Amino acid sequence: MQAFADRGYYNSLEIKACTDTGIQTFGPKPMTSSAKAHGRYGKDDFIYIARDDEYQCPAGKRAIYRCTSTEDNLKIRTYWRSACPTCPLRAQCTTSNNRRMMRILGVANLISAMRLAGA
């Protein structure tokens, strides 16, 4: 069985439920941050380094894993780097005075695995 969705008409819990019951999902990756719309780096500008469980930021530095929390029965892993306040790219990355935090849903891999409709 297959399910097709438009951006904005599904959420992570629905994708997980489909995957858990063997339904193959298709659709565009959701836009979860307004950073790109405001001219800043988006989550897709950060490269996940699986072997180290870290993200490489656009400045070439690493945001390391800090903690896991739970919201709506979904685990959220949080990453950041400590040198953000002195980074020359900070204004292009975050509006925070402290740091850019990456909050990654535990089902992000499922959403990344969604096939684009029509592809």
Side-chain angles (χ1 to χ4, degrees):
M1 184 177 285
Q2 299 174 332
F4 294 83
D6 290 333
R7 179 178 288 129
Y9 290 93
Y10 66 89
N11 62 42
S12 300
L13 292 172
E14 293 166 337
I15 297 305
K16 182 174 182 340
C18 285
T19 302
D20 289 348
T21 58
I23 298 171
Q24 188 177 23
T25 57
F26 294 83
K29 188 174 179 182
M31 302 293 281
T32 58
S33 171
S34 64
K36 283 271 193 195
H38 291 102
R40 294 187 309 275
Y41 296 117
K43 282 185 181 180
D44 58 336
D45 293 309
F46 290 73
I47 302 165
Y48 183 62
I49 312 298
R51 74 173 182 275
D52 299 327
D53 190 22
E54 297 176 349
Y55 281 85
Q56 181 176 307
C57 75
K61 304 298 182 187
R62 298 283 186 98
I64 63 173
Y65 168 75
R66 302 295 180 154
C67 64
T68 299
S69 59
T70 302
E71 291 179 24
D72 295 326
N73 290 327
L74 292 174
K75 290 190 185 282
I76 300 174
R77 295 177 59 82
T78 304
Y79 300 77
W80 72 75
R81 59 180 283 245
S82 297
C84 291
T86 60
C87 179
L89 300 180
R90 186 179 65 78
Q92 296 158 290
C93 192
T94 184
T95 58
S96 169
N97 290 329
N98 295 316
R99 64 184 63 91
R100 169 76 181 254
M101 290 189 355
M102 300 286 295
R103 299 182 73 229
I104 310 299
L105 284 174
V107 295
N109 59 328
L110 299 178
I111 293 171
S112 294
M114 285 179 66
R115 293 188 175 90
L116 294 176

